[in-house]
Amino acid sequence: MAKQIRVRYAPSPTGHLHIGNARTALFNYLYARNQNGKFIIRIEDTDVKRNIEGGEQSQLKYLTWLGIDWDESIDIGGEYGPYRQMERIEIYQKYTEELLAKGSAYKCYCTEEELEQEREAQMAKGETPAYSRKCCGLSAEDHKALEEEGRKASIRFKVPADQTIAFKDIVKGEVSFDSNGFGDFVIVKKDGIPTYNYAVVIDDHLMEMSHVLRGDDHITNTPKQLMIYDAFGWEPPIFGHMTLIVNESHKKLSKRDESIIQFIEQYEELGYLPEALFNFIALLGWSPGGEQEIFTKEEFIKIFDPSRLAKSPAVFDTNKLTWMNNQYIKQVDVDRLVQISLPHLIKAGRLPENLTDEQRAWARDLIALHQEKMSYGAEIVELTELFFKEDLEFDEEAKEILSGESVPEVVRNFKQQVEQLETFEAEDIKTAMKAVQKETGHKGKNLFMPIRVATTGQVHGPDLPQAIRLLGKDKILARLNKLIGN
């Protein structure tokens, strides 16, 4: 019987969900669902000083927002728990004793100052810094004496000499490292907390992970982990190291790079649709083949194959994300679009917090009018600016249209038609425009462009009769009067 696919996303609660971590979670999720396997979320919280309050909750909240669910974790439990590393300290201690007993690890009493002096001396000689194994052969008496001095020991893994550590990576193919390039590294710190490379091996083994799909920045951790697997006699999982995400200048995505929005919660705040972001992230370093770019989650699950993970860096194309979100917004229910857009109009002071039924209906129509053009919810503020202005400002293109010979006649005639309207619906406004056409003989651009510019100040925009209706009869007449000097 084939081994069940079990994969994990293991964040540290040191910050909010970053686009790169979201991609790691998403690819693991897709693989698990494609293979009818299990997707586990484990919290790697051993870097206690960097953990932030609410870090765990933020990770889970925004994974859920993206549309990712899981089978085991801190919130729903599971038979392989606990799922927080700090709740697994006793488990690690048991395995540490085993490594110490078989001579694969040893206690190190060196202070930070001593280690720094050692590193500086090695570098002065042109050597690559590596621990000298000063504490490797200590006798029982030495241990006792050092402990009586009040020294606390860390635990170091004894790296085997002259070994080639090789593995087949799903993305990179055959990868190998020389064990002589690694010094004896710390697996348990002086405070008794295990280091990442140690805890992750024990957790992945005990939780029966079949595959580890993670970022390329972990590739140098893999040989250390494989040495620990070998010391215990355990079979390691299959590794796949995804290429890094780079910006449009092909530089590694840095959290200081302000040209790209990098945290998932920021996208939610801006009014992006989670299914669009899911789609975009799924194509960051993975290709389904073919030209299709818009997929549902269910389609991704059906076609996901880790062998199609890209071998070259994934470029974060902001324009593509904007385009993709617009494709989703065009199809979304208007009430949902209102839900992600209306708060931005209120925040900008365009609308009151407590809307009347009439104001809410007007806002809904305003947002629906701009649905085709919108790329994300917050954009509604800029798109609808003309509806909240008292005075229009005309750019050069608009001024050129208004200087046309037929414009005064069209505008005056349209004003007269508007004044006569008893109701002010889009159909009424269309009727008024047809009447202007019949009265003046002007049609097409010569009719609609002067009316658009005179009423909205814009050369291009949404459906004109609907825009005029939403501006309201009083505002339209005020603008027309100002333009023709009445």
Side-chain angles (χ1 to χ4, degrees):
M1 184 178 172
K3 188 176 181 182
Q4 185 188 41
I5 300 298
R6 286 179 59 82
V7 293
R8 47 73 171 178
Y9 167 59
S12 300
T14 54
H16 302 292
L17 184 59
H18 183 263
I19 203 92
N21 292 337
R23 182 186 69 162
T24 297
L26 193 150
F27 285 166
N28 279 282
Y29 165 77
L30 290 175
Y31 187 43
R33 295 292 174 261
N34 173 272
Q35 296 289 315
N36 294 313
K38 299 290 184 184
F39 175 55
I40 294 91
I41 294 182
R42 183 176 71 225
I43 303 296
E44 298 188 343
D45 58 349
T46 55
D47 194 352
V48 179
K49 289 179 182 175
R50 292 183 60 228
N51 293 343
I52 64 167
E53 189 176 347
E56 283 182 9
Q57 291 74 15
S58 176
Q59 290 279 333
L60 299 183
K61 175 183 176 181
Y62 287 101
L63 288 173
T64 300
W65 181 79
L66 274 173
I68 295 173
D69 60 275
W70 45 92
D71 303 295
E72 302 167 28
S73 189
I74 57 171
D75 57 337
I76 56 176
E79 59 183 297
Y80 295 85
Y83 294 93
R84 282 188 192 90
Q85 287 187 331
M86 287 302 289
E87 295 173 6
R88 299 172 62 82
I89 297 296
E90 288 184 11
I91 297 172
Y92 306 132
Q93 287 172 343
K94 169 192 162 187
Y95 289 100
T96 303
E97 293 303 322
E98 183 181 328
L99 289 181
L100 288 168
K102 63 169 64 171
S104 296
Y106 58 91
K107 292 182 178 181
C108 173
Y109 296 90
C110 295
T111 65
E112 280 302 317
E113 292 74 21
E114 289 168 341
L115 292 170
E116 183 58 34
Q117 286 171 7
E118 188 174 278
R119 279 191 293 268
E120 288 176 359
Q122 289 169 336
M123 290 171 72
K125 294 177 186 176
E127 299 171 358
T128 302
Y131 182 59
S132 64
R133 288 192 166 172
K134 179 179 173 183
C135 294
C136 185
L138 294 177
S139 65
E141 290 77 16
D142 293 331
H143 281 282
K144 186 179 177 184
L146 288 164
E147 285 169 8
E148 284 177 353
E149 277 183 34
R151 292 202 183 207
K152 288 188 176 179
S154 59
I155 311 294
R156 286 185 183 271
F157 182 79
K158 190 175 180 181
V159 173
D162 306 320
Q163 281 194 11
T164 298
I165 299 111
F167 63 98
K168 188 171 183 179
D169 190 277
I170 292 172
V171 180
K172 297 178 171 298
E174 297 292 339
V175 181
S176 63
F177 292 85
D178 182 350
S179 68
N180 294 329
F182 299 89
D184 292 352
F185 53 93
V186 173
I187 57 173
V188 181
K189 294 175 280 188
K190 292 181 189 293
D191 58 9
I193 296 175
T195 58
Y196 165 76
N197 280 313
Y198 183 49
V200 76
V201 169
I202 295 170
D203 291 343
D204 284 346
H205 172 72
L206 296 180
M207 293 182 182
E208 298 184 11
M209 295 301 154
S210 63
H211 294 70
V212 171
L213 303 179
R214 59 189 180 188
D216 197 38
D217 49 337
H218 281 285
I219 193 80
T220 53
N221 289 324
T222 308
K224 292 180 179 180
Q225 293 168 18
L226 288 171
M227 286 187 268
I228 296 170
Y229 276 106
D230 190 56
F232 283 119
W234 296 339
E235 181 185 350
I238 296 167
F239 290 95
H241 290 87
M242 298 170 281
T243 56
L244 298 176
I245 302 172
V246 296
N247 63 21
E248 289 169 48
S249 301
H250 291 263
K251 292 181 179 176
K252 179 184 172 183
L253 206 59
S254 159
K255 290 180 181 177
R256 292 184 295 275
D257 185 348
E258 294 182 1
S259 67
I260 291 173
I261 300 165
Q262 298 192 37
F263 292 95
I264 302 302
E265 67 180 280
Q266 292 174 290
Y267 286 102
E268 185 200 31
E269 288 166 3
L270 284 168
Y272 278 77
L273 294 172
E275 55 269 40
L277 203 57
F278 186 108
N279 192 152
F280 176 76
I281 295 171
L283 298 176
L284 271 179
W286 180 82
S287 170
E291 298 298 317
Q292 185 178 340
E293 292 188 291
I294 304 294
F295 296 88
T296 65
K297 180 168 73 172
E298 291 69 29
E299 286 172 327
F300 273 121
I301 288 170
K302 187 176 179 181
I303 63 176
F304 187 78
D305 178 354
S307 69
R308 296 193 66 86
L309 287 166
K311 299 186 189 310
S312 54
V315 179
F316 192 105
D317 185 340
T318 304
N319 291 331
K320 183 175 179 180
L321 172 57
T322 302
W323 168 82
M324 189 171 284
N325 205 63
N326 172 254
Q327 300 305 301
Y328 277 86
I329 279 182
K330 284 177 182 177
Q331 304 300 323
V332 82
D333 179 79
V334 173
D335 288 329
R336 189 170 171 214
L337 186 60
V338 170
Q339 195 176 16
I340 64 170
S341 306
L342 185 56
H344 295 285
L345 288 171
I346 293 169
K347 185 180 177 181
R350 300 280 169 83
L351 292 169
E353 282 192 37
N354 299 311
L355 296 168
T356 64
D357 289 344
E358 186 180 352
Q359 286 172 323
R360 188 171 293 277
W362 182 84
R364 185 183 189 279
D365 289 346
L366 181 69
I367 291 165
L369 180 65
H370 292 84
Q371 183 163 2
E372 285 289 310
K373 290 286 185 184
M374 277 178 66
S375 296
Y376 52 92
E379 202 174 27
I380 194 67
V381 176
E382 182 183 346
L383 288 172
T384 60
E385 189 176 3
L386 75 94
F387 291 86
F388 301 96
K389 275 184 173 181
E390 288 304 316
D391 297 316
L392 294 179
E393 295 169 11
F394 303 107
D395 62 18
E396 290 305 313
E397 193 177 359
K399 286 176 182 175
E400 187 177 343
I401 287 166
L402 292 177
S403 67
E405 190 179 333
S406 62
V407 170
E409 183 184 13
V410 169
V411 172
R412 280 197 180 89
N413 206 289
F414 182 64
K415 178 196 163 219
Q416 289 168 5
Q417 294 296 332
V418 168
E419 285 172 335
Q420 292 169 22
L421 291 177
E422 292 183 11
T423 57
F424 206 66
E425 298 300 325
E427 284 303 315
D428 301 321
I429 294 157
K430 283 182 186 176
T431 302
M433 289 180 179
K434 285 178 184 175
V436 174
Q437 179 181 333
K438 188 176 179 182
E439 185 76 24
T440 65
H442 298 298
K443 58 185 178 179
K445 280 189 176 183
N446 291 333
L447 173 70
F448 296 111
M449 290 303 282
I451 293 174
R452 180 179 289 281
V453 174
T455 56
T456 70
Q458 296 180 344
V459 177
H460 309 285
D463 180 78
L464 185 55
Q466 280 287 9
I468 290 172
R469 178 183 78 82
L470 290 169
L471 281 162
K473 187 174 180 178
D474 291 345
K475 186 171 277 189
I476 290 297
L477 287 173
R479 288 179 177 181
L480 294 174
N481 281 328
K482 186 168 186 180
L483 187 67
I484 60 180
N486 291 354

